[in-house]
Amino acid sequence: MGAASASAFPRPQAKHLLYGLIASLPFSDFLQTGIVAFSAAPIMGDIAASPEEYSLVATLYAVVAIGMIALQRRLVEQLGWRRLVQAAGLLFGLGALVCGLAGSLAGFTAGRLVMAMGCASFMTAARMLVNHIPPSPRRFTGIRFLAGGLAWGLAAGPLLASWALASQNWRAAFFLMAVPAALIAALAQWAPMDEVVRPRARARSRSVSLLAVMTLMAGSFAALHALQRSGFDFFSEPQRLLAWAALAFPVLWLFVRLNRQGGGVLIGFGSLAQRRYLVGMGIFATAYLVLGANSIMLPTLLQRVLGLPLEIVGRYLGCGALAGVATLIVVTRLLPRRPGPTPYYLAGFSALLLCAWQLSRLSEGADPFRSVLPALLCNGAFMLAVLPVTAMQTFMKLQHDEETFSHANQLKNMLAQFGIAAGMALATLLMQWRSNVHYTRLAESLSPSNLALGPALEQLTQWFSSTQGASVAPRMALAQLAAWVTQEATLMGALDYFVALSWFAALCLGLVMAEGTWRRFAAR
């Protein structure tokens, strides 16, 4: 299986080095994801990038990450785990520094692509390194460190970005990412792990491998570009987006064909065609879909509807994500005694339902601390109740073979790139659709026949006359009224999204309860 022998921990401190490395990898990955997503507005303003251009950078990052994930097993066979993890950490740190120093869109894009070459290996490497621990309670401790790194990364990303924005310097967050990058490289030097991984399959042509990876990246670009651009062009140029999406299918099918040629495969799809694994991938896709959608909608709700400054929004999101840390502590204490997934899924999707139900009842004057923070805590609890349990269940029957186990994790981490992008696209489209519908209805209510319009405009005009001057008062009164209409339409669109999310969570709860009932019936 390629796991380290029991002598892999000759000294007590050696195991702590490996645990630290396992936690640092997912922590760094989710840390940079949160920082880049949350700092989008100030970054675009500083490097003079449009939202469309920034979206393209995100697409290119995901495409490079997918290509590197597909190559990871080959790179391990060539370099060994130690050198691969060290190289990934150094690339991650170098890319973060390039982003922090970038003064243009081209420089920032280059930094993000270098970061992708490093970050792509983090999640798969962390999970594979857990299997370097001999089968024992220590291995479960390794899983706890991996999930803990993920949980703390989800919380630290918006908190660190918030601190950087409060100090008027988004670049500081990127410079600070060099610290976990250096930590990864240092821990990889001293942590116990297998130096050499011998390939089981026969030699594979490098030209075929390169062509397969390039085809995978081309198909991924077509699919991700269609998803990322849907927020800008879906209602104006749907044919163009459909063409990109249609192009993705034959190109990805070509990758599957090339993947089988020239020796050992990059991803062994055949060995992964197991019911447990496929169901787990479906649950992962659901969680990543919600993660991507909420990463768009929660900041929108706090900033555009409730009017909170961006740095305050980051603090709320980070505090909400801390509930995931508490949830993880509870889950990891219960799992050894109650390994069945149903109770954890019931708790996780119930938390998601409570989050969506609470946010679907907000008004413009809601107190964020009392009305929003509890929902954010539920959202954080959902992710950490579902993801670790799903990971344990999905890969349970695949750990006997290291290559199959690696391929299973690689495919799951590729799915994460598509799932998060799809969630962001769906949330953006739903928000645009519903807010436009509400804006049209509200604008119609402001017709001259509305008897309340005249007195409202008159009061606004009088107020602006006393503060800004009579010459600009009528124009400013109309602008203020339009701003209120836009804010109300945005609020109502966000409420519609959370109503839809509550129904989705209720559906997932129903499926979990039905599956649990069927399992108990079949066991009789």
Side-chain angles (χ1 to χ4, degrees):
M1 179 176 170
S5 65
S7 61
F9 298 97
R11 300 180 307 277
Q13 61 268 31
K15 65 180 180 181
H16 297 303
L17 293 175
L18 184 57
Y19 292 153
L21 178 60
I22 290 170
S24 298
L25 291 167
F27 172 83
S28 301
D29 192 8
F30 281 86
L31 174 73
Q32 65 87 24
T33 299
I35 289 173
V36 173
F38 194 76
S39 305
I43 292 174
M44 285 189 289
D46 208 355
I47 64 175
S50 66
E52 292 87 347
E53 291 170 332
Y54 195 80
S55 173
L56 180 60
V57 174
T59 300
L60 293 174
Y61 175 93
V63 169
V64 172
I66 288 171
M68 294 301 296
I69 292 170
L71 282 171
Q72 180 161 345
R73 183 65 190 175
R74 299 296 171 189
L75 293 174
V76 170
E77 293 170 358
Q78 294 291 323
L79 302 175
W81 278 110
R82 193 178 307 280
R83 283 187 288 180
L84 174 66
V85 175
Q86 285 181 316
L90 293 174
L91 286 171
F92 168 61
L94 176 62
L97 292 176
V98 171
C99 288
L101 295 170
S104 65
L105 176 63
F108 185 80
T109 302
R112 287 297 289 157
L113 297 186
V114 175
M115 288 183 73
M117 295 173 66
C119 286
S121 302
F122 284 179
M123 286 300 296
T124 304
R127 186 60 186 91
M128 295 302 297
L129 290 176
V130 169
N131 273 31
H132 286 210
I133 304 172
S136 66
R138 288 175 174 173
R139 180 172 290 183
F140 184 71
T141 302
I143 293 175
R144 291 174 62 183
F145 271 85
L146 187 154
L150 186 155
W152 282 107
L154 283 171
L159 288 174
L160 182 57
S162 171
W163 168 82
L165 294 178
S167 60
Q168 304 296 316
N169 186 10
W170 62 267
R171 299 175 187 273
F174 283 87
F175 293 144
L176 286 175
M177 279 192 276
V179 175
L183 179 63
I184 288 171
L187 290 173
Q189 177 64 34
W190 302 107
M193 63 181 77
D194 290 344
E195 293 285 357
V196 178
V197 178
R198 292 183 175 85
R200 185 181 62 183
R202 63 184 184 273
R204 178 182 176 89
S205 168
R206 290 186 177 181
S207 61
V208 175
S209 294
L210 181 60
L211 181 59
V213 171
M214 295 301 293
T215 304
L216 171 63
M217 293 174 68
S220 300
F221 177 82
L224 290 168
H225 184 66
L227 288 172
Q228 295 280 3
R229 292 290 303 184
S230 62
F232 306 102
D233 300 333
F234 183 82
F235 296 104
S236 58
E237 298 182 81
Q239 297 84 359
R240 181 181 175 184
L241 296 178
L242 289 174
W244 277 106
L247 177 64
F249 289 100
V251 177
L252 291 175
W253 176 82
L254 179 61
F255 160 71
V256 174
R257 294 293 301 272
L258 291 171
N259 181 57
R260 300 173 181 172
Q261 298 178 10
V265 296
L266 289 172
I267 302 292
F269 294 108
S271 60
L272 303 179
Q274 303 179 21
R275 180 180 179 276
R276 177 183 290 270
Y277 180 74
L278 297 177
V279 171
M281 291 290 278
I283 299 173
F284 271 124
T286 300
Y288 289 131
L289 195 75
V290 173
L291 177 62
N294 283 351
S295 70
I296 292 289
M297 294 305 303
L298 292 175
T300 298
L301 181 70
L302 289 167
Q303 186 180 16
R304 293 174 54 189
V305 176
L306 301 184
L308 297 179
L310 194 55
E311 59 268 22
I312 302 299
V313 172
R315 295 172 194 173
Y316 273 104
L317 294 177
C319 291
L322 288 175
V325 179
T327 301
L328 179 64
I329 294 173
V330 175
V331 168
T332 52
R333 288 181 179 273
L334 293 176
L335 270 173
R337 299 192 299 270
R338 297 179 62 89
T342 301
Y344 307 102
Y345 288 151
L346 289 175
F349 286 107
S350 295
L352 181 63
L353 178 59
L354 285 173
C355 168
W357 176 77
Q358 174 68 18
L359 295 179
S360 68
R361 303 164 53 247
L362 290 183
S363 62
E364 298 96 327
D367 180 4
F369 185 81
R370 295 182 179 180
S371 301
V372 178
L373 185 57
L376 297 180
L377 294 172
C378 290
N379 181 64
F382 158 71
M383 295 304 302
L384 270 298
V386 170
L387 286 180
V389 175
T390 303
M392 292 191 65
Q393 294 292 324
T394 301
F395 305 115
M396 183 178 295
K397 294 185 177 181
L398 300 173
Q399 301 186 60
H400 64 281
D401 182 82
E402 187 186 27
E403 187 174 38
T404 301
F405 189 54
S406 176
H407 290 169
N409 278 277
Q410 289 170 254
L411 189 59
K412 185 268 290 184
N413 292 323
M414 291 183 201
L415 175 70
Q417 301 293 333
F418 290 101
I420 292 173
M424 295 172 68
L426 288 173
T428 302
L429 291 177
L430 180 60
M431 183 67 180
Q432 289 179 352
W433 169 43
R434 297 308 303 167
S435 60
N436 285 336
V437 168
H438 292 301
Y439 184 86
T440 300
R441 292 174 179 171
L442 290 170
E444 290 173 353
S445 69
L446 299 180
S447 64
S449 60
N450 188 339
L451 299 179
L453 179 61
L457 275 176
E458 184 178 351
Q459 291 180 2
L460 284 172
T461 303
Q462 291 175 355
W463 189 85
F464 281 115
S465 296
S466 63
T467 57
Q468 305 293 330
S471 60
V472 298
R475 185 171 67 252
M476 296 188 71
L478 287 172
Q480 181 62 57
L481 195 62
W484 284 342
V485 170
T486 301
Q487 183 183 21
E488 183 68 19
T490 303
L491 170 64
M492 296 173 73
L495 297 185
D496 287 348
Y497 164 80
F498 288 110
V499 168
L501 182 62
S502 64
W503 282 105
F504 178 76
L507 175 63
C508 292
L509 266 176
L511 292 175
V512 170
M513 289 187 288
E515 193 276 338
T517 302
W518 171 255
R519 181 180 297 180
R520 289 192 298 270
F521 177 79
R524 293 179 179 177

